[in-house]
């Protein structure tokens, strides 16, 4: 990397922040504005929250020369997405008392609260902490929430991948006490005690860093979309180790071909007892070699493409006490969740609840409240924005079933909707170019009409929409991807693998709802007639020549431009 290039503004902010304190504490006391100081709004991400404003109100307030309608989005850190019923009730209480009365399950197995006013931040953080939850490092240039395959019915295997997610998350947490000082009024670290960041470094990582642990054949976590992925290798019902995947990432910018989504490369295998160390060493190589000048080029995927995967792997191996072994065979079959009941031999059961785009409100919130009040089982958030009520004892199943029915939470959902994800986008996301969460449900209804015509209602097809090219719902690894360009207008991508192992490619540029339906309907029809055996829609559109196959990485934009105007 060219060390002459100036550091990005964020590097300066981090460096001057006294290990992430900045002037956040002072900013909370300024009641005359709903906002925080500009530099602090970068630092708050490391504490798990973003300053936002209601974009539906922006123009009107601008006309009236009023301050923007500032509020905050807070994201929790919940490794492997597992909460107790008591914690769920606390999350709900905080959403009602301190936020906008909704709970938003994210694509990374956690909760976001929206619409929090500045004065509610501290009570919210304290409320979480009282029930052993936090928001530390949920955002920012650090390792984010670590996610793991959410298959509780696989018992020991699920316990092991969840434990690993927790261990990695804890191991890579920032060591600064800033969060505890600001939000819990913990006594300030002063004089005697020197804080340091032995793993992340005093200016933290060049950019966000994401880790997922997958338990094949279920790729619910989209392991190839992460900076670091660990694929459990199971032999005789035991995890004997993990294949190590590096360099995945989704974000890109329209019109900037030097930015691109990339699926990760498998670089080797490690034993379970070495997995945390592998995570640490991959993180430290990125810490030392990632681009700190250009934030659009700072993710691990670019570090790897710049230096080459062989050099990256050898740098990791140099730092490891036990080197990576050759990767083992594995196979994935799906990314979607298994909705509905799974019955265990011992009488206990699990129920996976479909939560459209992760937004929980009104009757769903009330029904989940009643279920959580039973005090049984666990609440597991999935990387598909759904919720599993896991480990329901035999004696409680009837009660849970009755509540699901009473609150209308057990209704059947068609194959496309089951596999649909949308990012938040408008009105809270400051980067949204188009609607997503508020629009995809209607578009799916229109597409379902088409699918019904061709007898495909129950076929599992993944469809993902984002309001901008940052890729928060991982649209580039879905069979049908829609990426916002301007209000009402999207780029349509096709041909990702159903099991999340292949990027899709641009099929139509700048299409509105009508044009999306018009483009997909004939493909659904021919798929229904021509598919071979259990062929997936994403594979079919490639075999049929509707779109050409693309591999990961640098050729994304080349394929993209070659296909424009199809
Ligand atoms: Fe994301 C930024 C929401 C998962 C790539 N993402 C944002 C922000 C915070 C907007 C901002 O920076 O101002 C969004 C807040 C919207 C809001 O109002 O709530 C936001 N991202 C989300 C969530 C809530 C989408 C969802 O509907 O579930 C997901 C929260 C995950 C979590 O719990 O941590 C979310 N974001 C992702 C994913 C998917 C994943 O990680 O598996 C990606 C693609 C993978 C990746 O990181 O490469 C993703 N988000 C981004 C990017 C592009 C990063 C890049 O490398 O270019 C941004 C913008 C940025 O960082 O500059 C972004
Ligand atoms: Fe916002 Fe874009 Fe992420 Fe959607 S993909 S939440 S619009 S940053």
């Amino acid at each position: 990397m060219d060390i002459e290039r100036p550091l990005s503004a964020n590097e300066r902010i981090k460096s001057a922040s006294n290990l992430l304190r900045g002037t956040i504490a002072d900013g909370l006391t300024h009641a005359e504005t709903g906002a925080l100081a500009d530099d602090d709004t970068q630092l708050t991400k490391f504490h798990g929250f973003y300053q936002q404003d209601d974009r539906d109100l922006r123009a009107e307030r601008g006309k009236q020369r009023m301050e923007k309608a500032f509020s905050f989005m807070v994201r929790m850190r919940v490794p492997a997405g597992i909460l107790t019923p008591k914690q769920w009730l606390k999350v709900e209480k905080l959403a009602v008392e301190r936020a906008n009365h909704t709970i938003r399950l994210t694509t990374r197995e956690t909760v976001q609260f929206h619409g929090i006013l500045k004065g509610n931040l501290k009570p919210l953080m304290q409320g979480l902490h009282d029930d052993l939850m936090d928001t530390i490092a949920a955002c920012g240039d650090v390792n984010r929430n670590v996610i793991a395959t959410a298959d509780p019915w696989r018992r020991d295997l699920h316990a092991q991948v969840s434990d690993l997610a927790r261990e990695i998350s804890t191991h890579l947490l920032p060591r600064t006490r800033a969060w505890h000082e600001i939000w819990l009024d913990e006594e300030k670290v002063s004089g005697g005690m020197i804080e340091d960041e032995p793993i992340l470094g005093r200016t933290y990582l060049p950019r966000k860093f994401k880790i997922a642990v997958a338990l094949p054949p279920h790729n619910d976590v989209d392991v190839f979309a992460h900076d670091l992925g660990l694929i459990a290798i199971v032999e005789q019902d035991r995890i004997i180790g993990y294949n190590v995947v590096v360099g995945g990432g989704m974000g890109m910018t329209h019109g900037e071909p030097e930015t691109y989504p990339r699926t990760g490369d498998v670089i080797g295998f490690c034993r379970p007892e070495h997995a945390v160390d592998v995570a640490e060493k991959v993180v430290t190589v990125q810490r030392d070699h990632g681009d700190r000048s250009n934030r659009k080029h700072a993710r691990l995927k670019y570090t790897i493409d710049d230096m080459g995967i062989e050099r990256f792997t050898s740098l990791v191996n140099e730092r490891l006490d036990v080197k990576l072994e050759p990767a083992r065979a594995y196979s994935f079959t799906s990314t979607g969740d298994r909705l509905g009941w799974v019955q265990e031999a011992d009488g206990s059961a699990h129920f996976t609840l479909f939560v459209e785009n992760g937004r929980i409100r009104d009757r769903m919130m009330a029904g989940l409240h009643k279920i959580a009040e039973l005090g049984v089982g666990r609440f597991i958030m999935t990387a598909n924005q759904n919720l599993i009520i896991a480990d329901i004892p035999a004696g409680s199943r009837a009660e849970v079933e009755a509540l699901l029915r009473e609150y209308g939470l057990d209704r059947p959902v068609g194959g496309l909707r089951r596999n649909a994800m949308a990012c938040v986008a408008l009105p809270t996301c400051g980067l949204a170019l188009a609607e997503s969460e508020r629009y995809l449900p209607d578009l799916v209804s229109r597409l379902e009409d088409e699918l019904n015509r061709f007898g495909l209602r129950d076929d599992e097809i993944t469809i993902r929409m984002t309001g901008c090219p940052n890729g928060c719902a991982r649209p580039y690894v879905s069979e049908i991807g829609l990426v916002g360009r301007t209000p009402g207008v999207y780029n349509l991508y096709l041909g990702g693998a159903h099991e999340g192992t292949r990027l899709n490619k641009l099929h139509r540029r700048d299409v509105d709802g009508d044009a999306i339906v018009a483009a997909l309907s004939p493909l659904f029809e021919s798929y229904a007639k021509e598919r071979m055996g259990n062929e997936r829609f994403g594979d079919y559109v490639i075999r049929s020549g509707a779109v050409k196959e693309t591999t990961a990485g640098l050729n994304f934009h080349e394929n993209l431009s070659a296909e424009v105007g199809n």
Side-chain angles (χ1 to χ4, degrees):
M1 208 187 77
D2 178 8
I3 50 168
E4 297 299 315
R5 286 186 299 150
L7 294 176
S8 70
N10 286 58
E11 292 300 319
R12 174 190 58 74
I13 295 169
K14 288 185 275 181
S15 165
S17 73
N18 185 19
L19 297 181
L20 307 181
R21 290 173 177 81
T23 59
I24 298 172
D26 178 55
L28 294 175
T29 66
H30 288 273
E32 71 283 4
T33 168
L36 291 169
D38 278 356
D39 281 5
D40 287 340
T41 61
Q42 296 303 316
L43 297 174
T44 61
K45 298 180 186 177
F46 295 80
H47 296 247
F49 70 98
Y50 286 73
Q51 182 172 302
Q52 303 184 318
D53 71 286
D54 187 332
R55 295 186 55 189
D56 287 347
L57 305 179
R58 212 184 255 182
E60 187 52 35
R61 289 177 74 99
K63 259 191 250 160
Q64 302 195 16
R65 294 177 187 275
M66 290 166 77
E67 182 176 85
K68 285 179 182 164
F70 288 115
S71 68
F72 296 84
M73 174 275 272
V74 171
R75 186 182 289 163
M76 290 168 60
R77 180 182 69 97
V78 188
I82 304 174
L83 295 173
T84 64
K86 184 163 177 274
Q87 288 174 322
W88 182 265
L89 289 173
K90 177 52 86 64
V91 166
E92 183 210 299
K93 182 173 154 61
L94 294 169
V96 171
E97 290 178 0
R98 307 290 174 186
N100 71 350
H101 296 239
T102 72
I103 296 171
R104 179 54 154 78
L105 307 185
T106 76
T107 53
R108 303 201 72 249
E109 299 185 346
T110 190
V111 164
Q112 279 187 184
F113 302 93
H114 287 101
I116 302 156
L117 300 178
K118 195 162 77 173
N120 278 328
L121 282 167
K122 206 159 172 172
L124 188 136
M125 300 295 196
Q126 291 179 348
L128 291 174
H129 183 259
D130 288 346
D131 278 291
L132 306 178
M133 298 176 279
D134 66 65
T135 65
I136 305 172
C139 328
D141 298 344
V142 279
N143 173 52
R144 306 287 188 88
N145 194 40
V146 182
I147 64 176
T149 289
D151 286 359
W153 38 88
R154 295 168 75 188
R155 301 290 191 178
D156 280 0
L157 297 177
H158 175 248
Q160 284 174 55
V161 293
S162 307
D163 286 349
L164 179 59
R166 257 187 299 272
E167 275 176 58
I168 295 175
S169 176
T170 307
H171 185 70
L172 297 177
L173 273 184
R175 302 288 198 264
T176 173
R177 298 300 293 174
W179 193 89
H180 298 80
E181 274 176 30
I182 296 173
W183 308 108
L184 308 181
D185 297 322
E186 183 181 274
E187 206 139 299
K188 286 201 171 28
V189 174
S190 60
M193 193 173 157
I194 298 166
E195 285 178 300
D196 205 359
E197 294 288 5
I199 299 176
L200 301 172
R202 293 182 71 87
T203 50
Y204 301 88
L205 301 180
R207 201 70 162 82
K208 58 176 71 167
F209 194 94
K210 298 181 176 177
I211 302 179
V213 187
L215 187 54
H218 195 190
N219 189 20
D220 55 341
V221 293
D222 274 319
V223 73
F224 298 100
H226 293 260
D227 295 275
L228 170 62
L230 295 165
I231 302 175
I233 304 298
V234 179
E235 277 182 11
Q236 287 158 357
D237 257 353
R238 217 169 49 83
I239 295 180
I240 58 153
Y242 295 89
N243 276 356
V244 178
V245 186
V246 293
M250 295 284 98
M252 66 169 204
T253 306
H254 289 309
E256 295 185 16
E258 62 282 11
T259 65
Y260 46 84
R262 183 185 193 279
T263 47
D265 297 311
V266 180
I267 59 167
F269 168 89
C270 69
R271 302 281 160 187
E273 60 274 26
H274 301 139
V276 175
D277 196 38
V278 168
E280 179 189 310
K281 298 309 183 299
V282 170
V283 162
T284 64
V285 172
Q286 162 67 355
R287 175 197 67 196
D288 298 342
H289 295 268
D291 186 339
R292 288 182 187 262
S293 298
N294 175 4
R295 287 180 68 77
K296 286 198 176 176
H297 186 253
R299 291 295 292 273
L300 179 65
K301 60 185 175 182
Y302 301 117
T303 313
I304 289 176
D305 280 340
D306 288 351
M307 69 168 63
I309 192 71
E310 292 77 19
R311 177 158 155 71
F312 180 81
T313 308
S314 68
L315 286 177
V316 172
N317 268 326
E318 274 168 25
R319 293 177 187 207
L320 286 171
D321 291 335
V322 179
K323 312 284 170 240
L324 296 176
E325 298 172 30
R328 306 296 169 91
Y330 63 92
S331 116
F332 287 114
T333 53
S334 69
T335 58
D337 289 339
R338 186 171 164 182
L339 297 185
W341 287 99
V342 175
Q343 181 66 50
E344 296 281 0
D346 65 5
S348 67
H350 319 272
F351 183 82
T352 304
L353 172 69
F354 172 68
V355 184
E356 190 146 42
N357 304 325
R359 186 69 71 176
I360 295 175
R361 52 159 60 97
D362 305 332
R363 274 191 78 65
M364 181 175 279
M365 202 157 175
L368 288 171
H369 179 92
K370 292 273 188 200
I371 292 170
E373 273 185 338
L374 299 175
V376 298
R378 297 180 291 165
F379 281 57
I380 305 181
M381 294 169 281
T382 79
N384 288 300
Q385 304 170 320
N386 292 319
L387 183 67
I388 307 175
I389 304 154
D391 306 318
I392 303 164
S396 303
R397 175 164 173 167
E399 264 175 302
V400 174
E401 239 164 346
L403 287 168
L404 291 171
R405 204 167 316 119
E406 181 184 341
Y407 286 87
L409 305 181
D410 58 354
R411 296 200 185 107
V413 184
L416 187 68
R417 200 177 298 274
R418 268 203 299 273
N419 289 282
M421 282 210 286
C423 72
V424 178
L426 294 164
T428 52
C429 179
L431 306 176
L433 306 171
E435 295 282 354
S436 185
E437 179 188 322
R438 297 196 293 195
Y439 174 53
L440 186 63
D442 291 345
L443 181 66
V444 167
S445 299
R446 292 186 64 187
L447 292 172
E448 276 178 335
D449 291 344
E450 301 304 307
L451 289 165
N452 288 344
R453 283 175 50 210
F454 308 119
L456 297 172
R457 191 191 142 74
D458 284 322
D459 280 69
E460 311 260 354
I461 300 173
T462 57
I463 179 168
R464 297 177 180 175
M465 173 179 276
T466 54
C468 86
N470 281 320
C472 296
R474 301 185 290 268
Y476 310 111
V477 282
S478 62
E479 293 174 282
I480 304 172
L482 291 156
V483 175
R485 298 270 290 167
T486 59
V489 175
Y490 299 83
N491 279 351
L492 168 63
Y493 296 80
L494 292 179
H498 184 74
E499 65 278 10
T501 51
R502 179 180 69 230
L503 291 174
N504 48 26
K505 64 185 302 187
L506 186 64
H507 181 63
R508 291 277 191 275
R509 190 189 283 276
D510 290 339
V511 280
D512 63 8
D514 289 344
I516 293 165
V517 176
L520 287 174
S521 183
L523 289 174
F524 290 156
E525 183 174 16
S526 57
Y527 172 57
K529 286 187 189 138
E530 297 165 12
R531 69 173 152 182
M532 290 160 58
N534 291 330
E535 189 175 29
R536 296 293 187 178
F537 182 69
D539 298 335
Y540 165 76
V541 292
I542 290 168
R543 182 179 61 78
S544 67
V547 292
K548 294 196 193 87
E549 186 168 6
T550 175
T551 50
L554 288 168
N555 57 1
F556 189 80
H557 277 275
E558 288 159 24
N559 283 314
L560 188 151
S561 36
E563 280 301 306
V564 172
N566 250 358

